[in-house]
Amino acid sequence: MRDYYEFYNPVKIIAGKNSIALNLGKELKNLGCNRVLVVSGPIINKLGLTDYVATAINNSGVKVCGYFTNVPNESSFQTIKDICDIYRLNNCDSLVALGGGSVLDTAKAVKLVLSQNAEDIDSLRGYDMVREGIKIPMILLPTTCGTGAEITRVSVITNDKNNSKEEFLSDNLLPDVCVLDPEMIKTLPLKSVVLTSFDSLSHAVEGFCCGQKNPLSDRYSILAISQIFEYLPKVVEDPDNEEYRLKLLEAANFSGISFGNSMVGAVHAIAHTMGSVLKIGHDYAVSKLLPYVLQYNMEKSKKDYERLFYYVVSLEEYKKVVQENRPQIFVGKIKELYDTTAGKIGGIPTLKECGLKEELFDEIAKKSLLDGAILTNPKYMEIQDIKNVLQMALEEKL
Amino acid sequence: MKRTFFNIVTKFSFDYMSKGLSTLYKYDKKVKEQFDNIPSGTNIRVSVYGTPNVLTIKKIDNKVITYKKAEQPSSVDLEIIFKFSSSLPKILNGSNSVTQAYNNKEFCVKGDLRYAMALVFSIERFMGYLLPKKRYKEKYNRDAVLVMPKIKMFNYLLFSRRVTK
């Protein structure tokens, strides 16, 4: 039995239709904000979402004093410096960021730099390296249903000098409020909904099975997993349904709370490396690896899979399956969900098509072992184990 | 009384750990490979919360050196802080593995996690010399990898001096 655990989630969550229009201005006023810097990416800006958010803020009497709408897909130290400069130049007193993982991570890193009154983020790298500093009110608005970045205390930013991904972990990265509004993901392409939902699913499953799991994070994982299994197929059938999209946005939030208070495992350790070697999206890499890593971990996670199986099938189907088969069928259900939803959206490229080949296995395996997430994977992994998983993922054979 | 006992055990543990890491860096290719991921000049500190016990090592060129008590640097690049005085003794007697201690949140990491991974790998390799085969396999889910006979490692631990320059 574990000796003790920790759970921390001080973020206010507001969710629902029109929640931005109805609440954003009020929340900013409650935080004592008058001059906001809005941060987003070029695509979000083009879709008119930045204007939508700015209008909601201005209508409440709080002023938008600056914009940074060019956060790239792979955010960098220089981007953070540029945003901090704009914040200081315009005398802003708060941040509102809308976007996917990259934008939200960028905003979190900006908050960290500003709170410490630092020149740049380089000096703040690593885990828990900073104490509480200047209060910088921040509200995050996710526009994908995957990362959970709006509720986690980690930010991943590319170091421009050596092109490596650096992790920053601190309670100072957490926002004051996050708002889950289906308006933000109304126009998200179905392919992105599927892939980001699998990122969210992997957070939840890995959070449930990892070495740092605890009773509270487990409940959030279960909520997220059951919601994804229920609503992802529904969204694929009825893409314009706002309620279904909101459910997936919520599930991503629950997954974020779960893994933010437990950890992830080998899926993420390998996906991080695979992503930088093959230059593929994180959500794509994770969705491709998930069933194969779960299969590898079967020996150690049988009981966890058996428990999760209850939440992904109907009661009738659950009763029909004998206990000893439930873990394997659970892993099969994950693969089935991916194959079904991918099939219905016209297919997703294979890892082979994206450039994965056996010659790269050694490099990916060695770098994956340096990722902290490998420590909390339920089953110990060495280089050959990672290569075996990559082989399974390449051949798409469970 | 118990706490005093653990503090004494930790003091000796740090001494043996620093000698063990320097020895493994010299003789174990895999440990050297892991430490070579850490830039030269990086300071790493291991401490126990609420006690004066501290081990600070520095990776420089082709060595891992240990700071003397009176010459501790004011800041470090990576710090591993054990929250309980019993945590490190439990790892050393095989009651817990390093990973289990991490999962139980018995220690926290401040700094670059990649450097911490190199240190964890090296400590787990070092534990292969301290624990009986069966115990190691039970706690670490794999066989210990020994690049020298255990007696040779104990010889270094007991009779060699800490590498300080």
Side-chain angles (χ1 to χ4, degrees):
Chain A
M1 194 184 91
R2 176 192 298 285
D3 290 336
Y4 91 133
Y5 62 87
E6 296 173 6
F7 190 94
Y8 181 62
N9 187 40
V11 181
K12 182 174 181 178
I13 302 166
I14 299 173
K17 195 174 156 67
N18 294 324
S19 46
I20 289 175
L22 294 171
N23 292 284
L24 185 56
K26 178 171 69 81
E27 292 303 322
L28 284 166
K29 279 188 171 167
N30 283 346
L31 291 166
C33 307
N34 293 303
R35 300 174 63 80
V36 177
L37 174 67
V38 173
V39 178
S40 68
I43 297 174
I44 299 296
N45 197 38
K46 231 182 203 173
L47 290 170
L49 292 176
T50 317
D51 289 338
Y52 175 80
V53 165
T55 306
I57 296 171
N58 285 324
N59 283 347
S60 69
V62 177
K63 198 175 170 201
V64 175
C65 292
Y67 293 88
F68 189 97
T69 56
N70 284 323
V71 177
N73 271 343
E74 296 284 332
S75 188
S76 66
F77 284 14
Q78 186 58 46
T79 309
I80 290 158
K81 194 169 187 309
D82 294 342
I83 298 173
C84 289
D85 289 343
I86 295 174
Y87 184 97
R88 288 169 175 144
L89 195 70
N90 290 298
N91 248 335
C92 299
D93 62 9
S94 51
L95 288 162
V96 169
L98 58 151
S102 179
V103 173
L104 300 185
D105 274 2
T106 303
K108 284 152 72 174
V110 166
K111 182 189 172 189
L112 189 66
V113 172
L114 293 170
S115 72
Q116 304 300 307
N117 211 14
E119 277 301 310
D120 56 41
I121 197 146
D122 213 346
S123 54
L124 307 173
R125 83 180 62 212
Y127 276 43
D128 284 331
M129 290 300 281
V130 299
R131 295 276 172 266
E132 186 156 349
I134 305 164
K135 170 91 180 140
I136 307 286
M138 180 168 75
I139 299 182
L140 298 183
L141 317 171
T143 60
T144 63
C145 38
T147 65
E150 71 275 8
I151 206 127
T152 56
R153 55 196 288 267
V154 65
S155 174
V156 180
I157 307 288
T158 303
N159 185 341
D160 335 49
K161 289 176 193 161
N162 55 20
N163 223 26
S164 66
K165 291 206 172 181
E166 308 275 1
E167 277 184 3
F168 301 85
L169 192 132
S170 168
D171 289 344
N172 285 285
L173 290 169
L174 288 167
D176 298 275
V177 181
C178 67
V179 185
L180 313 177
D181 190 330
E183 187 68 30
M184 293 285 108
I185 58 167
K186 205 158 90 172
T187 51
L188 187 67
L190 203 49
K191 185 178 168 187
S192 297
V193 172
V194 170
L195 289 177
T196 54
S197 293
F198 265 86
D199 189 14
S200 165
L201 182 63
S202 74
H203 290 150
V205 174
E206 289 210 292
F208 193 86
C209 302
C210 75
Q212 289 189 357
K213 61 189 264 123
N214 58 73
L216 286 165
S217 67
D218 282 355
R219 300 313 300 176
Y220 280 99
S221 282
I222 287 170
L223 264 176
I225 291 166
S226 52
Q227 223 155 284
I228 292 167
F229 265 84
E230 186 178 350
Y231 288 98
L232 183 56
K234 286 181 176 174
V235 163
V236 170
E237 295 298 333
D238 185 3
D240 296 330
N241 190 308
E242 270 188 10
E243 187 206 338
Y244 298 162
R245 285 187 175 235
L246 177 60
K247 289 294 182 192
L248 291 179
L249 198 53
E250 283 175 2
N253 193 267
F254 301 150
S255 300
I257 296 172
S258 167
F259 92 85
N261 284 284
S262 53
M263 239 308 218
V264 285
V267 175
H268 276 75
I270 303 169
H272 288 153
T273 313
M274 215 164 74
S276 64
V277 168
L278 300 177
K279 307 275 181 268
I280 54 176
H282 171 74
D283 44 10
Y284 171 82
V286 156
S287 64
K288 286 293 184 187
L289 286 166
L290 181 60
Y292 308 105
V293 173
L294 295 185
Q295 185 65 39
Y296 170 81
N297 288 338
M298 178 69 72
E299 184 195 329
K300 295 286 180 184
S301 299
K302 244 187 192 136
K303 284 204 167 113
D304 290 332
Y305 298 168
E306 191 194 317
R307 199 166 151 219
L308 288 175
F309 179 66
Y310 178 81
Y311 297 100
V312 304
V313 293
S314 64
L315 190 57
E316 294 76 29
E317 192 175 347
Y318 181 79
K319 285 177 184 174
K320 279 186 199 162
V321 177
V322 297
Q323 188 178 9
E324 62 203 33
N325 292 343
R326 287 170 189 164
Q328 189 60 57
I329 294 181
F330 169 73
V331 176
K333 285 287 176 192
I334 300 244
K335 186 149 190 330
E336 189 187 307
L337 179 67
Y338 180 82
D339 291 339
T340 326
T341 48
K344 286 191 175 163
I345 59 170
I348 291 172
T350 62
L351 280 171
K352 200 171 184 177
E353 287 162 357
C354 289
L356 182 64
K357 43 192 174 191
E358 286 184 25
E359 292 82 20
L360 294 173
F361 284 6
D362 205 51
E363 183 190 351
I364 293 173
K366 280 183 178 163
K367 285 183 179 170
S368 299
L369 285 177
L370 290 177
D371 192 304
I374 209 93
L375 262 186
T376 50
N377 193 56
K379 190 175 170 187
Y380 177 73
M381 282 187 115
E382 286 183 339
I383 289 179
Q384 191 54 48
D385 300 316
I386 297 174
K387 286 182 179 178
N388 292 343
V389 166
L390 288 168
Q391 190 67 44
M392 283 201 289
L394 186 64
E395 292 169 7
E396 298 198 341
K397 277 188 194 157
L398 257 185
Chain B
M1 182 79 171
K2 218 175 176 179
R3 207 168 161 191
T4 311
F5 171 73
F6 284 137
N7 283 346
I8 295 169
V9 171
T10 303
K11 188 173 182 305
F12 281 105
S13 307
F14 278 161
D15 190 44
Y16 292 132
M17 234 163 70
S18 76
K19 289 182 196 173
L21 290 175
S22 304
T23 308
L24 283 179
Y25 182 82
K26 210 170 158 189
Y27 293 105
D28 190 329
K29 255 190 235 168
K30 291 277 180 192
V31 168
K32 188 175 187 306
E33 213 175 88
Q34 288 285 326
F35 264 96
D36 286 345
N37 285 320
I38 302 175
S40 187
T42 303
N43 288 322
I44 300 173
R45 176 175 292 151
V46 183
S47 60
V48 180
Y49 183 74
T51 76
N53 293 315
V54 72
L55 167 68
T56 311
I57 62 175
K58 183 174 187 169
K59 157 69 187 345
I60 52 163
D61 301 325
N62 280 320
K63 270 193 279 191
V64 172
I65 64 163
T66 306
Y67 280 96
K68 292 179 185 173
K69 200 172 179 181
E71 294 170 358
Q72 296 288 319
S74 53
S75 70
V76 291
D77 304 290
L78 170 72
E79 190 161 8
I80 293 176
I81 305 171
F82 283 92
K83 293 181 189 178
F84 313 110
S85 55
S86 59
S87 298
L88 189 58
K90 273 159 73 177
I91 291 172
L92 291 171
N93 75 12
S95 300
N96 249 355
S97 68
V98 181
T99 309
Q100 273 173 323
Y102 178 63
N103 286 337
N104 284 343
K105 305 237 179 203
E106 292 190 32
F107 67 83
C108 59
V109 175
K110 291 190 180 215
D112 197 321
L113 197 59
R114 290 169 300 177
Y115 306 163
M117 295 299 289
L119 193 63
V120 166
F121 177 87
S122 308
I123 294 173
E124 289 191 341
R125 275 286 249 242
F126 175 57
M127 290 309 300
Y129 294 91
L130 299 188
L131 297 178
K133 249 191 214 171
K134 204 176 166 187
R135 185 67 151 166
Y136 187 87
K137 177 111 188 191
E138 188 193 305
K139 282 293 156 187
Y140 290 89
N141 295 313
R142 61 196 185 275
D143 294 317
V145 175
L146 306 178
V147 298
M148 64 177 73
K150 282 191 183 186
I151 190 90
K152 195 173 176 185
M153 174 57 83
F154 279 111
N155 194 41
Y156 281 118
L157 293 180
L158 291 169
F159 302 114
S160 71
R161 287 188 171 190
R162 281 195 195 188
V163 179
T164 53
K165 279 187 193 171

